[in-house]
Amino acid sequence: MSASSTLSMYQASVPVFVRALGVLSKLLYKAAAHVEQQQLDPQELLSARLFEDMYPLIAQIQRASDAAKFGAARLAAIQPPSFADEETTFYELQERIGKTIRFLEELQPAQFDASAEREITMTLRERETHFSGQTYLLTFALPNFLFHVTTAYDILRHKGVPIGKMDYLGY
């Protein structure tokens, strides 16, 4: 396989995060329009959850944002921006998504050089876990991020927002 056809850690992370956050933003626009058209209380949708022990929609968006910025920052060996979890409206959630995308778009591919082998250490459920960068990206960062994006989609769909699989896929 030639170097030009090798998928870099940057390519496998940042564009995936950016694209899915863009999809999430579009889903939220559709949700806000649905709330307005149906004359619903936006807080009813923003606080909805799939099951009582799961995060509500607002927190799903916050966790997706966190997973993207922390995932990319750990791979690039930099400190991610800190966002307070204070969002309470569709507009504020859109702002958070925008800030996350801007952070990701500022990252340069060279910052991810050698990140596949870089050791990433995290505390998960009160125990220290060690990953290589590649294992971290493929078995933790991307699945965690996509879990929260998918759960946000599922909440919106469950609550009657007229979205479907192609909306989730971004087409």
Side-chain angles (χ1 to χ4, degrees), residues 28-166:
L28 286 180
Y29 280 123
K30 288 187 176 197
H34 175 74
V35 163
E36 188 174 314
Q37 290 167 354
Q38 300 298 314
Q39 299 179 342
L40 303 172
D41 176 3
Q43 289 308 312
E44 190 173 315
L45 187 54
L46 291 164
S47 64
R49 53 183 85 219
L50 289 180
F51 197 74
E52 61 193 36
D53 69 347
M54 294 179 76
Y55 286 130
L57 179 62
I58 287 175
Q60 296 295 343
I61 306 300
Q62 293 165 337
R63 298 299 70 79
S65 163
D66 288 347
K69 68 185 174 103
F70 282 116
R74 286 183 180 116
L75 293 170
I78 63 169
Q79 190 65 34
S82 177
F83 303 154
D85 292 337
E86 300 174 338
E87 296 83 12
T88 61
T89 66
F90 285 110
Y91 175 79
E92 290 170 347
L93 290 171
Q94 292 287 9
E95 289 276 304
R96 182 173 181 134
I97 291 170
K99 288 190 302 188
T100 307
I101 290 172
R102 285 189 295 281
F103 164 70
L104 294 168
E105 288 177 338
E106 290 172 0
L107 298 173
Q108 299 301 309
Q111 292 175 275
F112 292 74
D113 289 353
S115 66
E117 296 82 30
R118 180 176 295 128
E119 183 175 332
I120 296 178
T121 302
M122 299 174 51
T123 301
L124 299 172
R125 298 193 181 221
E126 300 180 17
R127 74 178 172 92
E128 198 169 87
T129 304
H130 302 272
F131 300 96
S132 70
Q134 183 175 2
T135 301
Y136 167 73
L137 176 64
L138 298 176
T139 68
F140 186 84
L142 285 173
N144 183 48
F145 170 70
L146 293 171
F147 172 86
H148 292 292
V149 173
T150 301
T151 303
Y153 166 87
D154 291 343
I155 290 169
L156 295 174
R157 175 86 179 176
H158 178 71
K159 289 303 208 174
V161 176
I163 54 176
K165 182 177 181 180
M166 296 313 276

